[in-house]
Amino acid sequence: MRVQRFSAHVAPGPRGRAVVTVPFDPDEAWGAKAEHPVGGTINGKQVRGTLTPAGGGWAFTVTPLWLRDAGVAAGADVLVELAPEGPQRRDLADDIGAALEASPAAAAFFDTLAQFYRKAYLRYIDATTRRPDLRAARIAEVVDLLAAGIKQRPRS
């Protein structure tokens, strides 16, 4: 299941922020990552951010500006819906997924990228629809760049 729905308590955080403790393990739900970029709603208000490890579990931090605009206060109980943002490894085409599986360093780095960078790499590969012979070469190039820790493909 991709979307996770739960009730949570909004705890006060540092510098006017608020912290929502997540009652599930996103590594088990969505695959292991150091951090999980997510999008969804809190009490029906759109929210985007990152799930980070916190105190033996996972937490989602919201800014004071978001709290004000959403009308949510620290100490409130809220309904939360979160889902991973951007293309995930298990959603990729078979050939791209297999290439990433063959290179654990590239796969781990791909998982840390913001969706903007993931989508850019995937658009570069998918632009080969008229030249399928070029697709394998582009996949290999992208895997090499990811394994080297390069967020964005250098322009030629």
Side-chain angles (χ1 to χ4, degrees), residues 5-108:
R5 293 174 182 85
F6 56 92
S7 297
H9 182 75
V10 179
R15 296 178 297 176
R17 297 175 187 263
V19 177
V20 176
T21 302
V22 178
F24 66 94
D25 184 355
D27 284 343
E28 289 180 14
W30 302 323
K33 293 184 187 180
E35 295 181 335
H36 292 269
V38 294
T41 62
I42 296 177
N43 275 358
K45 303 292 183 178
Q46 291 293 319
V47 67
R48 291 178 66 202
T50 304
L51 294 182
T52 55
W58 292 82
F60 184 79
T61 303
V62 292
T63 64
L65 195 59
W66 185 90
L67 290 168
R68 184 198 71 200
D69 291 347
V72 175
D77 291 322
V78 293
L79 296 173
V80 182
E81 288 188 7
L82 296 176
E85 250 191 0
Q88 304 297 307
R89 259 198 291 160
R90 68 174 155 222
D91 301 331
L92 300 177
D94 292 340
D95 54 352
I96 300 169
L100 287 174
E101 287 296 318
S103 175

Side-chain angles (χ1 to χ4, degrees), residues 95-96 99 121 124-126 128 131-145 153:
D95 54 352
I96 300 169
Y121 272 130
Y124 174 65
I125 293 170
D126 289 339
T128 61
R131 297 190 51 205
D133 55 314
L134 185 58
R135 184 176 177 89
R138 285 198 177 177
I139 291 171
E141 177 187 354
V142 165
V143 168
D144 289 344
L145 290 169
R153 184 180 64 81

